[in-house]
Amino acid sequence: MIKQLTIALLALTLAGFQSALAQNDEGFIYGKITTIDDEIYEGPMRWGKEEVYWTDMFNAGKRENENIDYLSRDERDILRDHKRRSRSHWGGLNFDWSWDWDDDFTHQLSIQFGELKALYVTGRERLDVELQGGMIYEITGNGYNDIGAKIRILDNELGELEMRWSRIDKIEFMPTPSKLNQKFGEPLYGTVETRNGSFTGFVQWDHDERVSTDKLDGDTRDGDMSIEFGRLKSIERDGNGCEIELQSGRTMFLRGSNDVDYDNRGVIVTTDYGRIDIEWREFLKVTFQKAPGSGPSYASFSDQKELTGSVMTRGGKTLKGKIVYDLDEAYDFEVLQGDFEDMEYIIPFRNISKITPRGYDESIVELKNGQTLRLEDGIDVSEENNGILVFQDKNNPIYVEWQDVDEVTFN
């Protein structure tokens, strides 16, 4: 019943999303790069061959988690035992003798590029990140390709330049002009069909290609092909390859490339409430159409707030105040992650109304647009969750273990 309800509610209502979109070029990442020699380059930016929109995700590792300091010694012991038991499974019991307490609570910073105000390079793998709301994080790039990547910038005077990370001192983000003189391409937008419903929004193919000038690679009977996405009308999975249709109506079958076979990393759709990362085996077909804009503008991300709301415990208590979810997420720009039927959802907390745990491995997530999702696996929605801090006053939060959470409601 829950699955049927979820599928029924997954159809995206476009009116609200489209009204929030920039009806021009304001959805592309834009800013200024200052080098270690004080050279300045300004224009649209792209992280390697990937991130290009304000809605794309910036990922790095937080260097510390100060929220652990709020736990008492007894609460730490309880959480330590719970985490150790849940790390491995043997004979119906859970043990992990090599578990590292510090590593387990240093979480990922995963936010949309639009949340960023500036990046300050402090070392080869280290940055200070300043957000639009003034918050500053010390982060590391170990294991994350957004730190150390070559950044392409379309300088307003010089044209395209590929910046080496070692030359960068700081990157400052700023509102994108309504009309760019040069850009990396037009947005890829369309409807993606899966075994569990259809999703309409901005499309990332193979976690990589996301603008019209990017190319789809594959082999045909007559030779290798490399076709700009802007020429494509649709791509349909067919066995170990894909049937493609061009805007002209011409069709052909492609295979032999990770763009069109089982090595494809998946298709991501950015909707009004977040991102859906669709595994290749779940994907059926994408039909492209003209985008209603380039995506939310930089100004759309300026209102950054602490998470507040109420936590109802299984014992019947209701605690209200500032919330730190999973002992980590404390702001509405941070994201919740969970899976449903070979699809991963990545949803900013500002778009979530309520979370209700169900059993050990899943939660019901109600969105502010009225949709309801059943999400499972992952730390945020399962027994792996580290619990919640509720600040009813400034300095003395109440800690609620995840297994004691009945419902979380956000303001």
Side-chain angles (χ1 to χ4, degrees):
M1 179 64 181
I2 294 176
K3 179 176 178 180
Q4 292 174 342
L5 176 63
T6 303
I7 294 173
L9 290 172
L10 284 179
L12 177 65
T13 302
L14 292 178
F17 188 33
Q18 293 182 355
S19 65
L21 300 180
Q23 298 299 316
N24 39 48
D25 295 330
E26 293 179 10
F28 292 107
I29 299 172
Y30 187 92
K32 181 169 61 176
I33 299 176
T34 301
T35 72
I36 56 177
D37 295 324
D38 291 326
E39 292 288 344
I40 295 176
Y41 303 92
E42 181 179 332
M45 288 186 284
R46 187 173 188 182
W47 255 241
K49 296 181 179 180
E50 298 182 7
E51 294 85 0
V52 71
Y53 304 106
W54 293 123
T55 52
D56 284 336
M57 301 303 297
F58 175 81
N59 297 298
K62 295 179 181 178
R63 289 174 58 187
E64 60 182 24
N65 186 352
E66 62 206 25
N67 295 306
I68 300 302
D69 296 338
Y70 289 109
L71 271 59
S72 68
R73 177 175 295 182
D74 288 344
E75 289 169 338
R76 293 188 187 199
D77 288 342
I78 292 171
L79 182 58
R80 179 185 289 110
D81 291 342
H82 172 70
K83 299 300 287 186
R84 182 182 289 119
R85 289 194 303 269
S86 64
R87 284 306 178 194
S88 63
H89 299 272
W90 174 74
L93 298 176
N94 301 322
F95 298 95
D96 184 359
W97 306 113
S98 62
W99 175 67
D100 189 311
W101 171 267
D102 291 330
D103 288 346
D104 201 69
F105 293 99
T106 304
H107 287 196
Q108 177 178 349
L109 176 68
S110 185
I111 59 177
Q112 294 173 299
F113 269 82
E115 312 289 355
L116 302 172
K117 181 178 181 181
L119 303 176
Y120 304 95
V121 179
T122 58
R124 183 175 181 180
E125 292 284 344
R126 293 189 173 188
L127 287 178
D128 287 342
V129 174
E130 182 179 4
L131 305 187
Q132 286 208 50
M135 292 74 75
I136 295 177
Y137 291 91
E138 294 181 350
I139 63 171
T140 176
N142 292 334
Y144 301 96
N145 67 359
D146 288 337
I147 311 298
K150 290 184 178 179
I151 299 176
R152 297 159 63 192
I153 184 168
L154 298 173
D155 182 80
N156 295 329
E157 292 184 295
L158 301 173
E160 184 169 349
L161 174 70
E162 186 173 81
M163 295 287 302
R164 295 192 299 274
W165 189 263
S166 60
R167 296 290 302 166
I168 296 173
D169 179 57
K170 63 181 177 181
I171 302 172
E172 299 167 275
F173 299 94
M174 57 188 69
T176 310
S178 59
K179 188 65 177 176
L180 292 170
N181 293 326
Q182 49 186 343
K183 52 189 174 182
F184 294 100
E186 298 298 330
L188 291 187
Y189 187 91
T191 298
V192 177
E193 300 172 38
T194 77
R195 298 183 187 278
N196 284 282
S198 298
F199 307 89
T200 298
F202 294 90
V203 177
Q204 291 175 219
W205 186 261
D206 189 29
H207 284 203
D208 191 1
E209 294 88 1
R210 62 197 75 189
V211 293
S212 59
T213 55
D214 291 336
K215 294 182 178 180
L216 181 78
D217 298 319
D219 301 335
T220 70
R221 292 175 299 180
D222 300 320
D224 298 344
M225 292 284 179
S226 189
I227 307 168
E228 287 192 353
F229 273 83
R231 300 178 182 272
L232 299 175
K233 180 178 181 180
S234 67
I235 307 171
E236 184 171 7
R237 183 165 62 85
D238 184 3
N240 196 28
C242 285
E243 188 76 21
I244 70 166
E245 182 179 2
L246 303 181
Q247 295 289 349
S248 65
R250 187 176 183 177
T251 62
M252 63 184 64
F253 182 77
L254 296 183
R255 61 183 180 180
S257 160
N258 65 334
D259 273 347
V260 293
D261 64 19
Y262 286 105
D263 289 326
N264 189 299
R265 292 170 293 178
V267 181
I268 297 175
V269 184
T270 299
T271 70
D272 65 332
Y273 58 83
R275 294 155 63 87
I276 304 107
D277 187 346
I278 302 162
E279 290 190 19
W280 184 248
R281 59 187 175 185
E282 180 72 21
F283 168 79
L284 296 176
K285 182 179 181 180
V286 57
T287 302
F288 296 105
Q289 60 196 72
K290 183 176 176 58
S294 56
S297 68
Y298 187 60
S300 301
F301 300 88
S302 62
D303 188 19
Q304 299 173 331
K305 299 177 180 178
E306 291 182 330
L307 286 178
T308 60
S310 62
V311 176
M312 182 180 296
T313 71
R314 295 192 183 277
K317 292 183 180 179
T318 299
L319 307 172
K320 296 182 179 181
K322 172 186 170 183
I323 290 174
V324 178
Y325 189 86
D326 188 29
L327 289 184
D328 181 58
E329 291 89 9
Y331 293 92
D332 64 357
F333 54 77
E334 299 186 87
V335 298
L336 177 138
Q337 295 171 266
D339 298 340
F340 175 78
E341 298 288 348
D342 294 325
M343 298 183 291
E344 181 186 26
Y345 288 76
I346 303 170
I347 307 171
F349 276 90
R350 63 164 59 99
N351 297 330
I352 297 173
S353 174
K354 184 185 297 183
I355 301 171
T356 306
R358 291 284 181 88
Y360 293 104
D361 199 40
E362 68 180 40
S363 295
I364 303 302
V365 178
E366 297 181 29
L367 306 180
K368 291 182 178 178
N369 68 1
Q371 290 184 253
T372 299
L373 307 172
R374 189 192 79 193
L375 301 183
E376 56 191 14
D377 298 329
I379 291 176
D380 288 334
V381 294
S382 74
E383 64 173 341
E384 288 289 312
N385 191 299
N386 295 317
I388 298 174
L389 290 174
V390 183
F391 287 78
Q392 295 185 300
D393 60 50
K394 185 175 182 180
N395 299 313
N396 299 295
I398 296 174
Y399 173 60
V400 184
E401 297 177 56
W402 182 250
Q403 58 264 35
D404 292 334
V405 175
D406 186 62
E407 183 177 277
V408 186
T409 303
F410 297 101
N411 292 336

